[in-house]
Amino acid sequence: MGTVDESVLSHRAITLLADLIKRRSVTPKDAGCQDVLMQRLAAIGFECEQMPFADVSNFWARRGTSGPVLCFAGHTDVVPPGALDDWSSDPFEPVVRDDVIYGRGSADMKSGLAAMIVALEDFVAENPDHDGSLAMLITSDEEGRARDGTLKVMEALTRRNEQIDWCVIGEPSSEKQLGDIVRIGRRGSLSAVLTVNGIQGHVAYPQLADNPIRRFAPLLAQLHEVEWDQGNEYFPPTSFQVVSVEAGVGAPNVTPAELKARFNFRYSTEWEHNGLEKKVQEIFDAHDIDYELDWHLSGKPFLTKPGRLTDAVSRAVQEQTGSAPKLSTGGGTSDGRFIAPAGVDVVELGPVNASIHKIDEHVRIEDVLSLATMYQRIMELLLAGRERGNSKRQ
Ligand SMILES: [Zn+2]
């Protein structure tokens, strides 16, 4: 044990976090994490509903029947620990050194879950008759294929017209210190496989062949020069990247009949995906080229515009840390992409992400407690009733 105050280690958020780390919930296993969470929620008046799909454990829990609905979302699964010998201690045995707790999932995202549960308990104790409803949506497959997790639960909720208004995801959004970054959206991802058709021939008789490499080269240059957009207040400019180009028959004296290329757009809310597809097609059609494009949309962009949720989250962070968070759309994917399309305002606020998915993953103990305070404050600002939410701690 290091410099941390022993009393902090017995805090409910820390003992819950330690319990969760001990459970080897490598995707899609849940290893009993969700039972622990549901027991805690049931004890404070939540209706808990297990929603397993295939080998994935999920649950939806709700306290209250009216709107608005404030939902906390996240995942109990963790990525594999990698080489155990590289860890300073057993990744599934929580260990405290100095002011930090180590273990797989400590930052991504079992500390977020522990902070949520404790915040919900404290909020409900103080506000048993809160406005609207509180909810929790948890999956054990965020780090994997993510097909039978949040996506399926959202489909089930939508089918029965159960609406979420605001969602806070406990993913590790922070970069240098807790609360410096709150994620409010993400870019869309649109991929294509291109086939350029030509006529195979002898390299010495190009007039008798049609070389698809030669046809594609100027187009490729042009695609890189296009300014797709300048981004906007919340998104960086749309980016176009070629990830592969393949052509050739393996002989030095033969030009090929076909070229295949793959490319990807990470695009902002300035575009709809079919608009981008159309623009690319126009560029191709201006060239004398025989081609096919096969598109694949892996995620539409989403953005939670400034409003009650972002205001509440920013204020909760500022009260706790002294500075307002940067609202960002950077980073990779999260299950927010499955929740936002149902018309839900989604933000991600969680611990520092510097060690996630790495050897010796860890989280600052103080950050877990501060995060719980922030989550509780968000509930107060949104559901405690106008007077209480606005008058407290001013
Ligand atoms: Zn995560």
Side-chain angles (χ1 to χ4, degrees), residues 299-320:
K300 294 181 182 178
F302 71 86
L303 173 68
T304 295
K305 291 228 170 83
R308 282 195 65 195
L309 179 61
T310 57
D311 286 353
V313 171
S314 294
R315 187 165 156 190
V317 170
Q318 175 140 27
E319 285 177 1
Q320 186 66 21

Side-chain angles (χ1 to χ4, degrees), residues 62-70 129-134 382-383:
R62 178 166 174 164
R63 185 182 198 277
T65 51
S66 61
V69 178
L70 169 59
D129 303 316
H130 57 78
D131 291 349
S133 298
L134 289 165
L382 293 172
L383 294 183

Side-chain angles (χ1 to χ4, degrees), residues 75 77 107-109 142-143 170-172 334 356-357:
H75 59 92
D77 59 318
D108 186 7
M109 59 160 276
E142 193 275 341
E143 304 284 9
E171 291 282 6
S334 87
I356 62 172
H357 296 204

Side-chain angles (χ1 to χ4, degrees), residues 11-12 70 72 112 114-127 130 134 168 312-313 315-317 319-320 349 368-384 388-389 392-393:
H11 189 284
R12 283 146 51 233
L70 169 59
F72 288 88
M116 285 171 177
I117 292 290
V118 167
L120 286 162
E121 289 170 344
D122 290 346
F123 175 76
V124 167
E126 287 177 25
N127 305 273
H130 57 78
L134 289 165
V168 177
V313 171
R315 187 165 156 190
V317 170
E319 285 177 1
Q320 186 66 21
L349 167 62
V368 184
L369 307 185
S370 295
L371 191 57
T373 306
M374 291 176 189
Y375 290 153
Q376 187 181 345
R377 186 66 179 134
I378 292 167
M379 289 182 249
E380 286 171 4
L381 291 165
L382 293 172
L383 294 183
R388 186 183 177 99
K392 223 183 145 190
R393 297 188 206 171

Side-chain angles (χ1 to χ4, degrees), residues 325-348:
K326 179 170 183 277
L327 304 180
S328 148
T329 57
T333 74
S334 87
D335 277 0
R337 70 191 144 140
F338 302 129
I339 300 172
V344 185
D345 280 355
V346 177
V347 301
E348 293 173 30

